[in-house]
Amino acid sequence: TQPKLAGVRAFLGRVSEWSVTHPTQTMASVIAIVAIVGVVGALRLSPDAGTDKLVDTGSSAYAGTQEFRDRFGDDAIVILAQGDLQKLILTDQIRQLLKLETCLSGNAPPDDPEFPEVCRRIAALGATRVVFGPATFLNQSATQALQYAGSLYTKVQADAEAAGAAAAKRAAKRGLDDAAQQAADASVQQAAITKLLARYKDVLAAVGDFGIPSIDNAGFVEAVAFDSRPPAGTPKARFGYLFPSSEGALISARLQPDLDDDTRREAIGLIREATNDEAFKLEDGAHYEISGVPVVVEGLADELGGELFILLGVALVVMALALIAVFGPPLRLLPLFVALGAAAMAFGLLSIIGGSLTMASVAVLPVVIGLGVDYAIQLQARFREAVAEGRRPAASAVLAAVRGGPVIATAALATTVGFLSLALSPIPMVREFGLALVIGVISALAIAITAGLAALSTIEISGEQSPPRRGGGRLDRAGSFFADAGERTRELLQSARARASGFGNSALATAITSPGRVLIVAAVLAAAGWAASTQTEVVSDIDELVPADLPALQSVNALESVTGVSGELDVIVSGEDVTTPAAIAWMRDFKQRVLEQHGFGGEFPDCRAAGTELCPGPALPDLIRGDGEPSQARIDGVLDAVPGYFLQAILSAPEGREQVAAISFLIPVMPLDEQEALIGEIRDELDPPAGIAAEVVGLPVLVADANAELSGSRYWLTLVGLIAVGLVLGAVYRNARRALLPMVPIALATGWSALVLAAMQIPLNPMSATLGVLVIAVATEFSVILSARYHEERAAGLSVGQALRRTYSRTGTAVLASGITSIAGFGVLIASEITMLRDFGLVTIVDLSVALLGVMLVLPATLVWAEGGFRPFPARRRRGRGMPGAPIPEPSEPAA
């Protein structure tokens, strides 16, 4: 009766008729398309655990982070030289560190036999922007100290001599004798020398009285690196990014910011190879540990690459067993092949349009398989009905498309629009997740209508209960591999199915006789769930989200155990001139204030002390020590004296561009919500002077902001999904009542699932931003198909009770079967080694199970409630006992 549905029905009839009259060509064409687009494209899909997929690329923090990377290099690869710090830098071992740092920087002499082949490969790759380590810092400091000492001596001596000669001339003019003139000369020279050296007191104080500066001079190294106060061997706190504790030293290698994934992976591999080379081996039990953001990203990407194949294998077995257990012949494994084709198309097209394999896109596999199986099951259920009416398979296939296709297409369209709401998320990973789901849904429906029905049309059966012919089809023969296990599972489910049937009859009777009470209870429970969802814990600690045995994560933990920190966040300070006295004074005060507020303080501050949330990293104001606002001359003098290799890590001042200075803080691993609060407190302290801008940037900032976006968006994305589904159903049916009735259990399902999660104390994780949309999508599938079948039966002249009985005995059985297989598909995620995916799988199993049972119970109550004129408690003719096998009572019919 609906014009749009009539047009869809005619179109599907033509498509299915061509498919079943040309089954070989249809199946061959679909297989070819899936093979070319899906499989070939999917093989090109590369794992990506990088930060660009996790963050809002339009945020100011992202722009600032990109500016930082452009100026100072990408996130640092950190090499921890773990061992006694005094033995590492006060002995010959410092030469080993210097050789390694030279090798990693790509500056190793090509013909020097002391440097292994790997150093030449690092130099040829050219991926390193800067390597900053303890030996390089000390060596550059020693070299610069010698150069500076010589130039300083020459300059000071020349200026002092000039000042002394001028004083002698003035004494002669006053008529003083030669002795007085010489005394004036000497006195002024000494005063000039004292005044000039005071200008460079910061540099001289840092060096001290140690003899000739050299990394081989233990006195020089000790004066620069260690605190002169007891206890002995305590490194200076301001050099914590080089000497984090008495148990190790840190080397930081920043790569070029524009490297592709393959080059970055190769660079990390070469760095790993270099640290394992005998040429750089340390003594006395000291060794190297490699960590840092690029290393963790690479390790997680490798984990994702293998994860997809593991989940695919598990999905094949689980879904095959589920189909054999809950779905009868013919071709009981056909839905699985339809779903696999849809999954291949989803990943293949995602790759072709530039997507990648992220944490979220891995979860696409079970979702698409579950929905693809659902569509195929619904069509096969209609096919079996037509066969049971005595029609031939080819005609039955066409009739299945004509009868069930429009409803399934409507449900698929509503599901697709619900998934499209994820495109509104600011997080690229979530947007790609939604896009892949949309591709998968469309592909699953297209394959089921064409190749799926074509395969069914080739099977000769005499009735719904007739077994397939021996060897009658390749898919049935393929199913024999799982037959024994499936039949055992089927037997185990028989008793459960009988009990479920009795429960279903009883629940349906209750829904029909007391629809108002059912809906009130359902609404109260949903409201309680919505309220409880605001209190549900969201796990954001990285240790609880990724595999505990991930080597990269273990390296992070090792780094933190020695240093107390494992990551870095930065503040970039930009302006035309960031070296003015006002800018330097503000940066110094800001850094000191922030450190003290977050636990770093005391006479001998330690990053491993309890309550320490921040430790100092390199910063421009650290070079100009003292209180108050320094003079411009003093700033310029210090900057002239600082080694350029060191200065490039904290100050970028290219000609023609704005100057940028860096203030770095080191942080430990912490839950993302705590990290977000920490970053917010730092932002609150940003009050730079006029002409200067400041922004908190870095990976921790991006990840914390992304976690906040994900956690906050799970509410409004769910609402948008509900509205989108309602609009689609309204446009299709052109009847507000017809469109809104399926929406009642869909909306309530989001509250029920939240209530069960809260009652079971199952925590959520950042991926749960998509959970509400997934529940809506699957609940829409169930609700729309059952509602449409009910209206179809009512249009055929059946009473309310008869229509519901027929709906649930036929389509309801198929919905239950597809629901179970869909839940089994989501359950595949439990096999994941990635904790975030495994927990997400557990949550989706609970949510979808609740949604399925809730829809099966609440939808009939909604339909009866609507038929009764929306009266809360319609009158009843009789009340059934609700026992298994008892007739389902009729509600009172509305007055004509």
Side-chain angles (χ1 to χ4, degrees), residues 5 382 403-404 406-408 410-411 733 738 742 781-795 807 811 859 863:
L5 291 182
R382 292 282 188 160
R403 287 177 174 176
V407 176
I408 297 172
T410 299
Y733 293 125
R738 179 80 181 272
E781 194 75 22
F782 302 152
S783 189
V784 169
I785 290 174
L786 288 171
S787 176
R789 183 59 183 261
Y790 168 79
H791 287 292
E792 180 183 328
E793 300 298 344
R794 285 287 282 152
T807 296
T811 302
L859 180 62
L863 296 172

Side-chain angles (χ1 to χ4, degrees), residues 216-535:
D216 298 317
N217 182 342
F220 165 76
V221 173
E222 187 169 13
V224 173
F226 292 98
D227 200 312
S228 60
R229 300 166 296 174
T234 301
K236 291 179 179 178
R238 68 177 182 275
F239 294 139
Y241 48 89
L242 294 170
F243 316 111
S245 74
S246 59
E247 300 172 17
L250 291 179
I251 302 171
S252 298
R254 290 190 178 274
L255 302 181
Q256 300 290 355
D258 55 352
L259 299 179
D260 57 54
D261 292 339
D262 292 338
T263 304
R264 185 179 292 104
R265 181 178 296 272
E266 182 180 358
I268 294 173
L270 291 175
I271 291 175
R272 200 186 306 276
E273 183 179 342
T275 57
N276 291 327
D277 198 286
E278 288 291 324
F280 310 116
K281 185 176 181 180
L282 300 174
E283 301 174 355
D284 299 321
H287 62 280
Y288 300 109
E289 287 278 356
I290 300 180
S291 183
V293 170
V295 178
V296 174
V297 167
E298 181 204 31
L300 190 53
D302 290 340
E303 192 76 18
L304 286 175
E307 199 71 18
L308 187 63
F309 293 102
I310 294 174
L311 292 179
L312 179 59
V314 175
L316 286 172
V317 175
V318 170
M319 297 298 283
L321 292 175
L323 286 170
I324 291 173
V326 303
F327 199 53
L331 295 180
R332 64 180 71 188
L333 289 184
L334 178 60
L336 180 57
F337 286 90
V338 171
L340 288 177
M345 292 293 290
F347 284 106
L349 288 176
L350 181 65
S351 172
I352 291 172
I353 64 178
S356 57
L357 187 63
T358 64
M359 186 90 73
S361 59
V362 168
V364 167
L365 179 66
V367 179
V368 171
I369 286 180
L371 291 174
V373 165
D374 182 29
Y375 300 146
I377 285 179
Q378 295 299 330
L379 285 173
Q380 283 184 248
R382 292 282 188 160
F383 172 83
R384 287 201 301 271
E385 288 181 19
V387 169
E389 295 171 1
R391 291 179 170 85
R392 301 293 297 169
S396 297
V398 175
L399 197 59
V402 172
R403 287 177 174 176
V407 176
I408 297 172
T410 299
L413 177 61
T415 300
T416 299
V417 173
F419 285 144
L420 280 176
S421 65
L422 295 175
L424 300 177
S425 173
I427 308 302
M429 182 178 71
V430 175
R431 294 199 298 268
E432 284 190 8
F433 177 67
L435 178 61
L437 289 175
V438 168
I439 296 172
V441 168
I442 295 173
S443 300
L445 183 60
I447 294 173
I449 290 290
T450 55
L453 291 179
L456 287 173
S457 70
T458 63
I459 302 301
E460 291 291 343
I461 57 176
S462 59
E464 186 177 13
Q465 302 300 324
S466 299
R469 295 180 299 147
R470 180 179 297 275
R474 293 183 179 180
L475 296 181
D476 277 326
R477 290 198 297 272
S480 66
F481 178 79
F482 299 97
D484 291 340
E487 290 303 329
R488 292 193 196 98
T489 306
R490 193 182 187 90
E491 291 174 4
L492 291 175
L493 291 176
Q494 288 300 323
S495 59
R497 180 178 295 177
R499 289 192 296 270
S501 177
F503 170 78
N505 285 338
S506 178
L508 188 56
T510 302
I512 291 175
T513 57
S514 303
R517 292 186 178 89
V518 170
L519 289 174
I520 289 174
V521 172
V524 169
L525 292 177
W530 294 325
S533 67
T534 61
Q535 306 299 319

